[in-house]
Amino acid sequence: QVQLVESGGGSVQAGGSLTLACTAPRSPRYSFSGVSVGWFRQAPGKEREGVASIRGNGSIAYSASVLGRFTIARDKNTIYLQANSLKPEDTAMYFCAAGLSGRSLEWGDPNFFRYWGQGTQVTVSS
């Protein structure tokens, strides 16, 4: 079992930026290179939604709500989410995910990914 840990959340004003990061500190031999990874978010009372993903072949996808404002990237040890031009509606708990579960073919479906972090809170004030 690979445990993921997110960092970088916080409180910002609208228009601000945050950089989120995700690592697997208890699994130092686990590499994010070549595996599917993603970022999700969940606001109170709402379902968890896919924000961005990088497939194992390197293809990148974004949800329509963050396209042009967020950027996902990865290296061997870390998954990143650069969030710019933040809006109050971006307020949510943000989760990183990695590895395929085999239960879904859609990256935006939480069932697509096998390993998850506990989340980091992002709060955007107007």
Side-chain angles (χ1 to χ4, degrees):
Q1 187 73 10
V2 176
Q3 293 180 312
L4 306 180
V5 178
E6 301 91 342
S7 62
S11 297
V12 298
Q13 291 189 331
S17 298
L18 285 172
T19 302
L20 307 184
C22 172
T23 61
R26 296 186 181 181
S27 302
R29 289 181 291 181
Y30 185 81
S31 173
F32 293 125
S33 299
V35 302
S36 294
V37 299
W39 286 95
F40 286 70
R41 66 186 182 186
Q42 188 168 17
K46 294 188 177 181
E47 293 185 352
R48 189 170 298 191
E49 63 171 350
V51 173
S53 74
I54 304 178
R55 299 293 295 268
N57 63 6
S59 62
I60 294 175
Y62 296 95
S63 68
S65 61
V66 306
L67 183 64
R69 300 187 297 121
F70 290 14
T71 303
I72 187 173
R74 67 176 175 193
D75 59 27
K76 178 180 178 182
N77 299 312
T78 307
I79 311 166
Y80 302 96
L81 185 69
Q82 177 65 41
N84 297 329
S85 302
L86 283 160
K87 304 175 181 180
E89 51 263 44
D90 294 318
T91 296
M93 186 72 77
Y94 282 70
F95 301 87
C96 64
L100 299 180
S101 72
R103 295 180 291 152
S104 175
L105 298 178
E106 298 294 330
W107 74 266
D109 179 351
N111 291 313
F112 183 83
F113 289 99
R114 180 177 182 182
Y115 303 119
W116 288 86
Q118 294 298 308
T120 185
Q121 178 67 37
V122 171
T123 302
V124 184
S125 59
S126 59

